[in-house]
Amino acid sequence: FMEFEISEVVERFKRIQDSICEFLEETTAQKFREDPWDYEKGRGGGRTRVWEASSAEAVIEKGGVNFSAIGGDSLPQAATDAHQLAGDQSFEATGVSIVIHPNNPHIPTIHMNIRFFFTAGKWWFGGGIDLTPYYPVRDQVIFFHKHLREVCERHAQPYEKFKQICDKYFYLPHRNEARGVGGIFFDQLNTTTSSCTATELFEFVCDLGMNFIPLYKRFLVENMNRSFTDQQREFQLIRRARYVEFNLLWDRGTKFGIQSNGRTESILMSMPATAIWKYNYAPPEGSEEQKVLNTYFQPAEWAEMDYSTPSE
C-alpha cells in the first residue's frame, strides 16, 4: 500500500535537513552546533542542529533545524487523542522541524516541519510552514503565499484548504489573534484523504521541505542589514511572547514530543532565547506597531493580492 520504504523517507528527510543547514550557514555566516541523540524509550534518534548567537550582530539569535526518526511499541497519548488510535500499537515517525528566531525585527520568525507517521497499517504525511513577521513588508508576505501556492499547484495539492487549516491552527484563542501571517498546514495526508498516489504525496512533502530555502532566503537577504531601534526590538520581544504562548499552550507537536518522552531539549528548541511580557500591552494609537497588528494578525487572502511594485 506504500510505494516506498520508510527508510527512503528517512534518507530524503536527512538530505533536506543537510541542504537547509548548508543554506543557513552560507547566508548568515553562522555555524550550527550538532547534538546527535538516541530515543531512549524505543528505537532511533535524531540530529538536533542549533544556532545560538554569541553577539547581537548575528543574524540568527536562536534557531534549530532538527531531524528525527523514532519508533516505539506503544503510541503516545497525544497521537491516540489526535488520530483516534489505540495506544498499544507500535509506530514509526520521522520528520524535519525548523524554527528560526532572528535578531533583527525586520526578519520574520519562520517555522516549518515535514513528517511521516506509520502505525497499525496506517500511514500519513503531515507538515506545513508559517511565517511570523514583526515589521512585515507587504510584498514579501504576498511573495511567501504566492510561492507556497505554486508549490501546492505543482503537486495538485489544495493551497486554499491548507492555508485555511493553517490560519485556524496557528491562532491564539485566548488572545483572539493569529500567531503570524499564516502559510500552509496539513495532516493525515495519504491516499485515503487525497487523490494522489503515495509517491506523489512523498514528492510534494519533500518539495515543500526544499522550498524553505527560496522562501526564507528573500526575507534574510532583503532584511538582515536593515537598522532597527530599541522600540522595534521591544515590540519583537513582546510578539515573541505570543509565539511562546502558542507553542506551550496549543501546539500538538510539542504535546506529542513531551508525552512520547521525546528529547526535551530538541522539542523546546522552538523557544526563542528572549521574550518579554508587558502587562496589558497595547501599542500606541496610530503607531506603526498598531498598524502591523491591525493589518497582519488576522487571516487575509495574500496570494490573491497584487504586488505593490511591478518588478515582483
Side-chain angles (χ1 to χ4, degrees), residues 20 37-38 42 45 68 76 78 119 136 147 152 154 160 167 196 220 235 256 258 266:
I20 291 170
W37 56 273
D38 295 318
S68 64
T119 183
H147 191 105
C152 289
R154 196 154 59 228
E160 193 56 44
D167 288 338
C196 294
L220 288 173
F235 182 66
F256 172 83
I258 296 296
S266 300

Side-chain angles (χ1 to χ4, degrees), residues 2-37:
M2 285 194 317
E3 299 132 30
F4 49 81
E5 298 292 328
I6 295 174
S7 60
E8 292 178 63
V9 184
V10 169
E11 288 308 309
R12 284 283 290 280
F13 280 11
K14 276 185 178 176
R15 293 205 298 271
I16 290 167
Q17 183 198 31
D18 288 340
S19 298
I20 291 170
C21 288
E22 188 179 316
F23 150 70
L24 287 170
E25 284 197 331
E26 286 178 358
T27 308
T28 67
Q30 287 173 260
K31 298 289 184 189
F32 64 79
R33 177 163 58 92
E34 179 167 291
D35 187 13
W37 56 273

Side-chain angles (χ1 to χ4, degrees), residues 196-233:
C196 294
T197 66
T199 298
E200 287 168 342
L201 296 175
F202 184 21
E203 291 304 321
F204 162 61
V205 169
C206 290
D207 195 22
L208 176 65
M210 287 302 294
N211 268 276
F212 175 89
I213 296 170
L215 277 167
Y216 202 43
K217 184 174 186 176
R218 175 169 180 179
F219 292 98
L220 288 173
V221 170
E222 293 187 8
N223 299 314
M224 65 186 187
N225 294 318
R226 294 178 64 189
S227 61
F228 58 91
T229 65
D230 290 343
Q231 178 184 327
Q232 289 172 324
R233 173 68 172 167

Side-chain angles (χ1 to χ4, degrees), residues 13 94-96 113-117 124-128 185-187 205:
F13 280 11
T94 183
V96 178
N113 80 70
I114 52 174
R115 57 190 183 276
F116 176 77
F117 203 88
W124 63 84
F125 288 101
F185 188 73
F186 53 90
D187 202 5
V205 169

